[in-house]
Amino acid sequence: TELAQARDQADMVTSRLELAMAAANAGVYEIDLKSGDRWSSEQFKQIAGEEALERQSVNPFGLYMDAEQSAVRDSWDRCLISNAVESIDTRIYRPDGKGRWMRLFTRVHRNASGQHTRAVGLMLDIHEQKQQELALVEAKMQAEAATVAKSNFLASMSHEIRTPLNGILGMAQVLQGEVLTEAQKDSVNVIADSGRTLMALLDDVLDISKIEAGKLEI
């Protein structure tokens, strides 16, 4: 009876684990580090795909895209010298050359004498999440580039407009020193006031560029 109860309990735990892995789109694998034998759950095989598994049968790291294998090797090396769970985001092999993003969790177990006995890992399919993250990073980079371009444009245009505006203000000042009729003086004063207002606006535009560049001095 105790054996039957233990079996039923184990079946229930296994069922729960399989349900959790299916819901999380995760697969489990285990490697016997003494014999080299490898066991993978059905969910793991489905996530990895036939092409990647075929490559893995030739090269243990062939499961991953060629560009990712070096980082995965480094992660494995860290596992061998640590008791902690090692995590890495990487791409498993796909024939299209783009791969599919996965998050790997790996831990190496040791016996009482400290020898490596087996490695247990979990692989989560995070492709959609990673695609969104990469899209956000790309959008952020484009937004930052647009901001820099705008700031450079504003600074350049402000300097370009300031040059002829200085000429206008200078000539208005010269005219204000001439003998003019009252109507002419009023006209010149309007030109001078408008020029000074425009100059103040240009200074504000330059301040915006300085604020975005972090160079505004108060």
Side-chain angles (χ1 to χ4, degrees), residues 86 110 125 130 190 202 206:
E86 174 69 18
R110 297 167 174 80
D125 188 332
K130 199 70 175 182
V190 170
L202 289 176
L206 285 175

Side-chain angles (χ1 to χ4, degrees), residues 100-177:
R100 188 169 183 86
W101 282 100
M102 301 289 162
R103 180 163 295 159
L104 300 180
F105 298 91
T106 310
R107 185 173 186 177
V108 172
H109 293 264
R110 297 167 174 80
N111 57 22
S113 60
Q115 295 177 327
H116 302 144
T117 56
R118 63 193 180 96
V120 178
L122 174 72
M123 185 168 72
L124 292 175
D125 188 332
I126 60 166
H127 190 73
E128 301 302 328
Q129 172 188 340
K130 199 70 175 182
Q131 291 290 84
Q132 293 176 359
E133 291 177 1
L134 294 175
L136 288 174
V137 170
E138 179 66 20
K140 182 175 182 291
M141 292 175 60
Q142 292 180 358
E144 290 175 347
T147 299
V148 171
K150 181 195 69 176
S151 298
N152 292 337
F153 173 78
L154 290 176
S156 177
M157 291 305 298
S158 297
H159 287 296
E160 292 297 328
I161 295 175
R162 186 183 294 272
T163 300
L165 184 56
N166 284 330
I168 294 172
L169 289 174
M171 293 307 298
Q173 187 175 4
V174 170
L175 288 174
Q176 286 175 331

Side-chain angles (χ1 to χ4, degrees), residues 60-74:
F61 295 96
L63 184 73
Y64 312 100
M65 297 294 293
D66 294 342
E68 304 286 342
Q69 292 182 19
S70 177
V72 177
R73 288 177 185 271
D74 292 341

Side-chain angles (χ1 to χ4, degrees), residues 2-204:
E2 292 180 356
L3 182 60
Q5 289 177 345
R7 181 198 59 204
D8 293 342
Q9 182 69 19
D11 289 343
M12 182 176 64
V13 172
T14 301
S15 177
R16 290 174 178 174
L17 179 59
E18 290 177 348
L19 178 60
M21 288 191 298
N25 202 14
V28 177
Y29 65 92
E30 182 174 331
I31 305 172
D32 188 324
L33 297 179
K34 292 185 176 181
S35 66
D37 293 339
R38 184 184 186 100
W39 172 86
S40 302
S41 68
E42 290 301 319
Q43 185 80 0
F44 180 93
K45 296 175 182 178
Q46 292 177 8
I47 294 173
E50 293 182 4
E51 296 89 351
L53 291 174
E54 288 176 1
R55 282 167 51 101
Q56 186 185 50
S57 63
V58 179
N59 172 14
F61 295 96
L63 184 73
Y64 312 100
M65 297 294 293
D66 294 342
E68 304 286 342
Q69 292 182 19
S70 177
V72 177
R73 288 177 185 271
D74 292 341
S75 176
W76 176 253
D77 290 339
R78 289 192 295 270
C79 268
L80 294 176
I81 60 176
S82 172
N83 291 322
V85 175
E86 174 69 18
S87 174
I88 183 175
D89 290 355
T90 186
R91 292 175 298 147
I92 60 174
Y93 175 78
R94 287 293 184 271
D96 61 5
K98 298 179 180 179
R100 188 169 183 86
W101 282 100
M102 301 289 162
R103 180 163 295 159
L104 300 180
F105 298 91
T106 310
R107 185 173 186 177
V108 172
H109 293 264
R110 297 167 174 80
N111 57 22
S113 60
Q115 295 177 327
H116 302 144
T117 56
R118 63 193 180 96
V120 178
L122 174 72
M123 185 168 72
L124 292 175
D125 188 332
I126 60 166
H127 190 73
E128 301 302 328
Q129 172 188 340
K130 199 70 175 182
Q131 291 290 84
Q132 293 176 359
E133 291 177 1
L134 294 175
L136 288 174
V137 170
E138 179 66 20
K140 182 175 182 291
M141 292 175 60
Q142 292 180 358
E144 290 175 347
T147 299
V148 171
K150 181 195 69 176
S151 298
N152 292 337
F153 173 78
L154 290 176
S156 177
M157 291 305 298
S158 297
H159 287 296
E160 292 297 328
I161 295 175
R162 186 183 294 272
T163 300
L165 184 56
N166 284 330
I168 294 172
L169 289 174
M171 293 307 298
Q173 187 175 4
V174 170
L175 288 174
Q176 286 175 331
E178 300 289 335
V179 178
L180 303 172
T181 64
E182 291 300 320
Q184 290 173 332
K185 288 181 180 180
D186 290 341
S187 298
V188 173
N189 289 336
V190 170
I191 294 173
D193 290 341
S194 298
R196 284 190 290 269
T197 300
L198 183 55
M199 186 67 76
L201 289 174
L202 289 176
D203 290 337
D204 290 341

Side-chain angles (χ1 to χ4, degrees), residues 200-213:
L201 289 174
L202 289 176
D203 290 337
D204 290 341
V205 170
L206 285 175
D207 285 343
I208 292 175
S209 298
K210 290 178 181 178
I211 289 171
E212 292 179 342

